[in-house]
Amino acid sequence: MSDKPVNESRRGALKAMVGGLAAAPLMNLVGLTAAQAGDSPEKITADDPRAKVVKYNPDATKSVRDAEAMNQVCGNCMLYVAREEEDGEWGTCAAVGNQLVSTKGWCVAWSLKQQPNV
Ligand code: SF4
């Protein structure tokens, strides 16, 4: 076997790798855009990496919280956006990539929802 076919094969493999590396960020952007543009959000679980970052648990009673945080749940959090199609039990949250969180959930990013002035 001569060197030439091997070198050409290596060159082809390198081109494919470089092309693949260049395309990967673009594919991520396309995927991100598609997710933001219309994909339905999913009910996020506590073991999802996005949930782990903020220690989200869909059942706040199972979260390790300070005593003053016992009344904090996703449903009264500023980041919670209720979704009518989820019967008021689930809403999206920016802290977990706009996925669905339970009204009864909690995470360390909880922030009191502002009440409208009356
Ligand atoms: S930021 Fe608020 S709504 Fe989002 S997961 Fe944490 S407690 Fe729930």
Side-chain angles (χ1 to χ4, degrees):
M1 185 182 270
S2 74
D3 279 347
K4 191 170 182 177
V6 173
N7 286 340
E8 286 177 5
S9 175
R10 285 184 186 160
R11 193 174 302 129
L14 279 172
K15 280 183 182 177
M17 286 172 50
V18 170
L21 288 174
L26 183 60
M27 290 168 62
N28 284 339
L29 282 176
V30 170
L32 185 62
T33 302
Q36 291 174 334
D39 284 357
S40 296
E42 307 256 331
K43 292 177 181 174
I44 197 162
T45 59
D47 59 352
D48 185 292
R50 294 167 292 188
K52 285 183 175 178
V53 168
V54 290
K55 299 182 180 173
Y56 166 76
N57 191 307
D59 182 352
T61 64
K62 294 180 179 170
S63 298
V64 177
R65 302 180 285 171
D66 293 337
E68 68 258 16
M70 290 303 162
N71 292 329
Q72 300 173 1
V73 289
C74 293
N76 61 19
C77 174
M78 182 168 54
L79 295 178
Y80 183 82
V81 179
R83 290 186 41 111
E84 288 180 23
E85 57 270 50
E86 299 294 339
D87 297 328
E89 295 297 315
W90 297 83
T92 57
C93 172
V96 292
N98 288 317
Q99 299 304 302
L100 293 173
V101 294
S102 168
T103 57
K104 298 171 185 164
W106 183 84
C107 86
V108 297
W110 182 91
S111 185
L112 181 62
K113 184 177 284 190
Q114 297 297 313
Q115 300 299 315
N117 291 334
V118 285

